[in-house]
Amino acid sequence: MLEHLPVKPSDSVARELRRMRAELARDPRHLEVALRLAERYFELAGAEGDPRYIGYAQAALKPWWDLPDAPTRARVMRAIVKQYTHDFSGALRDLEAATREDPKNALAWSWRAAIHMVQADYAAARADCEALRGIETELGAVACMAYVDGTTGQAAAAHRALGAAFARDSDVSSAAKVWVLTRLAEMSLRQGDAKQTEEHFR
């Protein structure tokens, strides 16, 4: 059976994926390569909305997928893939183990907060965001807390805090800027400020 992938063989993305797959095929237990490939597939799933990429990410992590004592970074990536398929309990088990093993793992705390937000467990999400203070950038920690506050009736205060942190540290990736501006737009919308909402979205 042949499968038509959502990229053309000549695309730079296809070339990048071929290169990484070939590298992983030579050594399927090369954790660094597997993590890079799984992360790239996860990014593509988000960008393209194609769930097949999540299956490819899981395949890249195959040597560690069912391993109870997987390395921390593998646990975190495994959790990120699991939460995409709504296996929130499995993802949280991995993230809880990861934060026990490495309490300064900002990525693990951030994903814990995100999953708790999806589950409407705002107290747990707030605790996860608190754990980010001192191990994440100021903008990252404020953004996490603002996301919780902005969803739980404190949109005005959350908007001010996130806007101020963003003004102090706007030299971040384009993806981070889009995330922050989208959250600011959502908070403006909750406050009924259509003009400000449109400015953030623009």
Side-chain angles (χ1 to χ4, degrees):
M1 180 182 291
L2 296 177
E3 180 176 9
H4 294 286
L5 298 177
V7 292
K8 297 177 181 177
S10 58
D11 286 350
S12 59
V13 172
R15 289 196 298 271
E16 176 192 11
L17 293 174
R18 272 201 309 271
R19 178 182 55 76
M20 284 193 285
R21 283 199 306 266
E23 194 175 350
L24 189 61
R26 288 194 292 272
D27 182 2
R29 299 192 67 83
H30 194 305
L31 182 59
E32 292 296 328
V33 177
L35 290 173
R36 284 203 314 270
L37 183 57
E39 184 177 0
R40 191 70 181 98
Y41 278 137
F42 179 77
E43 290 170 355
L44 287 168
E48 303 291 337
D50 190 331
R52 286 178 293 179
Y53 285 123
I54 295 300
Y56 305 152
Q58 181 175 344
L61 298 170
K62 185 178 179 181
W64 306 275
W65 191 257
D66 297 312
L67 203 62
D69 58 345
T72 300
R73 291 174 65 201
R75 280 187 191 275
V76 174
M77 193 66 234
R78 189 168 70 184
I80 293 170
V81 173
K82 285 179 178 179
Q83 65 79 39
Y84 187 97
T85 61
H86 295 183
D87 179 8
F88 297 128
S89 58
L92 283 173
R93 280 195 300 273
D94 276 334
L95 293 171
E96 285 162 7
T99 51
R100 279 197 309 270
E101 292 164 7
D102 180 11
K104 293 186 177 181
N105 192 312
L107 185 61
W109 286 112
S110 296
W111 275 105
R112 278 177 55 141
I115 293 170
H116 283 134
M117 286 296 291
V118 170
Q119 296 179 320
D121 188 346
Y122 302 123
R126 190 180 298 279
D128 296 330
C129 292
E130 286 288 354
L132 284 172
R133 295 186 188 279
I135 62 173
E136 176 61 283
T137 64
E138 182 203 8
L139 179 59
V142 170
C144 186
M145 193 63 74
Y147 190 31
V148 180
D149 289 342
T151 308
T152 55
Q154 302 176 63
H159 187 280
R160 286 194 300 273
L162 183 54
F166 187 46
R168 289 191 296 270
D169 186 16
S170 59
D171 186 22
V172 293
S173 69
S174 58
K177 286 180 181 178
V178 168
W179 191 92
V180 170
L181 289 166
T182 302
R183 299 293 83 76
L184 288 171
E186 290 170 349
M187 293 172 204
S188 297
L189 187 62
R190 289 193 186 103
Q191 297 175 76
D193 191 334
K195 184 174 183 294
Q196 191 174 58
T197 300
E198 184 174 3
E199 286 174 0
H200 288 316
F201 276 134
R202 285 189 181 278

